[in-house]
Amino acid sequence: MFSPVTKLTTVRVLLALVASKDWTLWQMDVKNAFLHGELDQQIYMCQPMGFQSRNHPEYVCKLRKALYGLKQAPRTWYVRGILRYVKGTLDYGIIYKKGGDCKLVGFCDADYAGDHDTQRSTTGYIFTLGSGIVSWCSKRQPTVSLSTTEAEYRAAAMAAQESTWILQLLEDLHQPIEYPISLYCDNLLAIHLAENPVFHSFRCQLGMANKEGASVEGEY
């Protein structure tokens, strides 16, 4: 058995391309969903080879969840799915609409010192390809930002790194790329800094009034 190691963004990008370009997609049966089925019976198994207890070799293992090959596995997974559907907690996933313009667009933002314990800011970004979202992130920044401009600039830099990775993936899939790529940010000074790194130093920016609230588009 093998576990999937592909980055989920890769899968979402492929699904977005399939929907936008009306490709034929073949689905492969993956059985690891059975591992999430919760057993309602007491089932025991012998200790797995290589993991036997030296002190208690006669012991057996009590299963908490289903395993591959267990005859109860399909039913337990079906019951689990039905219960989550009835309770309204089933994740329906992302919907990609057929056709449309398959263009990569990004949006980034950041708060300022939102973590009250560390005074660090949080970066957030999303990227859409065609009609749906293919990548997103919400992550605390590694160091303290000295201004909202610095926090927003770091968020834009992190989003730009992700866009570069997605663009490389599209090139590997031999898909045409429309330039420039749009990355939206709502901090005017951060946009100026991204367009011209020598526009102002962060020390000078601290003495300037941040012009917040203006929705401005930056392209590269």
Side-chain angles (χ1 to χ4, degrees):
M1 297 296 179
F2 297 89
S3 298
V5 295
T6 303
K7 188 176 179 180
L8 290 180
T9 302
T10 303
V11 177
R12 290 190 288 265
V13 167
L14 181 59
L15 293 176
L17 291 173
V18 168
S20 177
K21 299 179 179 295
D22 196 19
W23 290 350
T24 299
L25 179 66
W26 296 91
Q27 182 179 2
M28 181 178 64
D29 184 19
V30 180
K31 299 181 180 179
N32 62 0
F34 285 173
L35 294 176
H36 300 280
E38 298 179 355
L39 297 172
D40 57 358
Q41 304 175 20
Q42 291 188 0
I43 301 178
Y44 300 87
M45 62 173 288
C46 297
Q47 298 182 41
M49 185 177 299
F51 296 90
Q52 295 91 343
S53 172
R54 295 181 180 180
N55 298 328
H56 304 283
E58 74 282 0
Y59 278 17
V60 293
C61 300
K62 181 180 179 180
L63 295 181
R64 297 176 58 186
K65 291 191 177 183
L67 290 177
Y68 297 127
L70 193 66
K71 64 180 182 180
Q72 291 90 344
R75 181 179 181 277
T76 56
W77 170 243
Y78 175 79
V79 171
R80 178 178 173 85
I82 290 298
L83 290 177
R84 293 189 63 187
Y85 179 81
V86 171
K87 294 179 181 179
T89 60
L90 188 62
D91 186 6
Y92 292 94
I94 303 172
I95 298 176
Y96 298 101
K97 297 181 180 179
K98 184 176 180 181
D101 185 17
C102 193
K103 186 176 181 180
L104 182 65
V105 180
F107 304 84
C108 66
D109 199 1
D111 65 359
Y112 176 60
D115 191 312
H116 297 292
D117 295 327
T118 64
Q119 299 301 310
R120 286 190 280 175
S121 305
T122 301
T123 291
Y125 67 74
I126 62 171
F127 282 91
T128 62
L129 182 64
S131 61
I133 299 174
V134 295
S135 178
W136 62 85
C137 177
S138 178
K139 185 177 182 180
R140 190 170 56 187
Q141 297 181 358
T143 58
V144 176
S145 297
L146 301 180
S147 66
T148 55
T149 298
E150 184 177 350
E152 296 273 5
Y153 182 77
R154 288 180 176 179
M158 187 175 178
Q161 291 177 349
E162 181 69 6
S163 68
T164 301
W165 186 89
I166 297 176
L167 291 175
Q168 183 61 54
L169 174 61
L170 293 174
E171 289 184 3
D172 294 341
L173 295 174
H174 304 287
Q175 295 305 305
I177 302 172
E178 297 184 14
Y179 289 100
I181 302 301
S182 297
L183 178 59
Y184 292 89
C185 175
D186 63 355
N187 187 287
L188 188 59
L189 290 180
I191 294 174
H192 288 329
L193 185 63
E195 293 175 345
N196 183 7
V198 297
F199 179 74
H200 280 299
S201 67
F202 279 123
R203 180 177 299 177
C204 293
Q205 291 172 17
L206 289 176
M208 299 175 61
N210 286 340
K211 300 178 181 179
E212 305 287 353
S215 179
V216 186
E217 174 185 358
E219 296 185 345
Y220 63 94

